[in-house]
Structures are given as C-alpha cells and as structure tokens.
Amino acid sequence: AITVGVTVRYPDLLPPPKPGDGSHAEVETPALTGDAESVAAGFRRHADAGADHIIVALEPTTPTALARLTDALVRYRADRES
C-alpha cells in the first residue's frame, strides 16, 4: 500500500503573520488549497497516481478548517463511489 502525506491549507483562516518572526514559514510548503472541490480534486490526483492512503496535515487546526476538510472528503468519497 502507498501512503502519502498532504498538507491542506486554508490561508484565509490562518492568523495574520507577525512581521519578521517567520510566521507560517512564509507558507512555502506545497499544499492543497481552495474550495472543497479543489481539495477533493487534489485527493483524486493522489489516488489516481496510486496512493492508497492519505495522511492530512491541516492548517490551521480549527473547527472551521476541519469542517471544510470534511466537505472536501465527502465530495472525494462520493466521486470514488460513483
């Protein structure tokens, strides 16, 4: 089985960076972003490339971000079942 780690980032939910402190590492780490369909499409690309499992690092880890991720997962799973 192939497992991949993926960052899902919702930049609009991140607190504003503090000048000069390197907050968010200037957000250079590759990540899936966007609406639920965009994130679901990213999951599909990984699955189509052979990934069996995806481990998600969610940024930020807030209830709102988790709700958005849940919506993306529901869309991804619905597509996989059809």
Side-chain angles (χ1 to χ4, degrees):
I2 297 173
T3 302
V4 297
V6 176
T7 299
V8 175
R9 182 178 301 121
Y10 297 104
D12 63 305
L13 299 178
L14 291 169
K18 297 175 185 166
D21 75 353
S23 293
H24 312 287
E26 304 314 320
V27 194
E28 293 180 18
T29 307
L32 298 177
T33 62
D35 62 9
E37 185 52 43
S38 297
V39 174
F43 292 154
R44 282 192 295 277
R45 286 191 300 274
H46 284 286
D48 292 345
D52 299 299
H53 307 280
I54 297 176
I55 298 172
V56 173
L58 182 61
E59 295 179 7
T61 53
T62 63
T64 302
L66 184 57
R68 289 185 189 182
L69 176 61
T70 299
D71 189 26
L73 288 169
V74 166
R75 290 171 187 250
Y76 166 74
R77 289 181 176 159
D79 289 345
R80 299 306 284 181
E81 292 173 0
S82 59

